[in-house]
Amino acid sequence: ASPAFAAWKEFKYDDLGVVKEFPTDPKVETGTYKTPVAGMATAHIFSVDEPDVKYKMTVVDLMDKAAEGASIMGECTFMAEDEGMPVANMTARVEPGAKAVYGRIQTTDLKDGSRSMTACFFTKGRLYKIQATVLPSNPDFPNSSEAIRFINSLSFNLQGEGGGGGG
């Protein structure tokens, strides 16, 4: 497993206020995030599909809904659990001390037989949704050290109002 772990790279997205590790260069797309609470908003989607694990980070611009951040994060958590049978739901924290950003991590057994880990964070007007889906073909199924690494390898690079550092 060591050579596979060595291949992981850190990607810094200053405009989105986040630093994230992926096992290889992610596919980058722009899409739409639509839910009852969040409404419809632009989503920046970063994904890597490997044979046994699917990795995805979605960053949603919700600057006009910053006051509803707790509800939007709760909705993100609920939607992840609603995809199948919830296995675990726990508090998550990124960054130490006063810079801490709190969120939720939930693990769900999906209807297709795979297992999904989803982390939801809302800060500075953005929803950060991190997902790793472990397929039954994974030798470590239902858990995977790579999926756990993906969920936990997150750092916020927030500067000024609205986050993102501007560039």
Side-chain angles (χ1 to χ4, degrees):
S2 294
F5 269 96
W8 285 66
K9 294 190 265 180
E10 187 175 84
F11 295 85
K12 186 175 181 182
Y13 303 102
D14 285 332
D15 57 330
L16 300 174
V18 68
V19 178
K20 184 78 190 96
E21 286 185 9
F22 282 91
T24 188
D25 292 357
K27 177 180 172 185
V28 180
E29 302 174 279
T30 301
T32 302
Y33 184 83
K34 184 177 179 184
T35 67
V37 176
M40 193 163 60
T42 300
H44 309 276
I45 305 159
F46 306 84
S47 61
V48 171
D49 287 347
E50 293 199 333
D52 296 331
V53 183
K54 310 295 181 196
Y55 306 97
K56 184 176 181 182
M57 176 177 74
T58 305
V59 181
V60 186
D61 293 319
L62 294 161
M63 301 296 177
D64 60 332
K65 301 214 179 210
E68 299 171 57
S71 294
I72 291 169
M73 191 181 75
E75 179 185 52
C76 177
T77 301
F78 171 79
M79 290 174 62
E81 291 179 335
D82 199 41
E83 290 180 356
M85 176 63 67
V87 175
N89 183 325
M90 63 190 102
T91 301
R93 183 184 81 194
V94 177
E95 312 299 345
K99 293 184 178 185
V101 176
Y102 290 88
R104 302 293 301 172
I105 297 176
Q106 47 284 329
T107 301
T108 306
D109 285 340
L110 303 179
K111 296 169 186 166
D112 68 1
S114 58
R115 175 170 279 184
S116 177
M117 293 179 69
T118 305
C120 300
F121 296 91
F122 190 96
T123 187
K124 301 288 186 177
R126 288 194 177 99
L127 173 67
Y128 298 85
K129 184 177 180 181
I130 315 299
Q131 297 170 281
T133 303
V134 182
L135 305 180
S137 58
N138 188 298
D140 296 325
F141 184 82
N143 299 307
S144 159
S145 57
E146 291 88 359
I148 293 166
R149 176 180 182 164
F150 182 71
I151 292 296
N152 290 316
S153 66
L154 175 70
S155 178
F156 291 108
N157 182 31
L158 304 169
Q159 301 170 4
E161 289 302 310

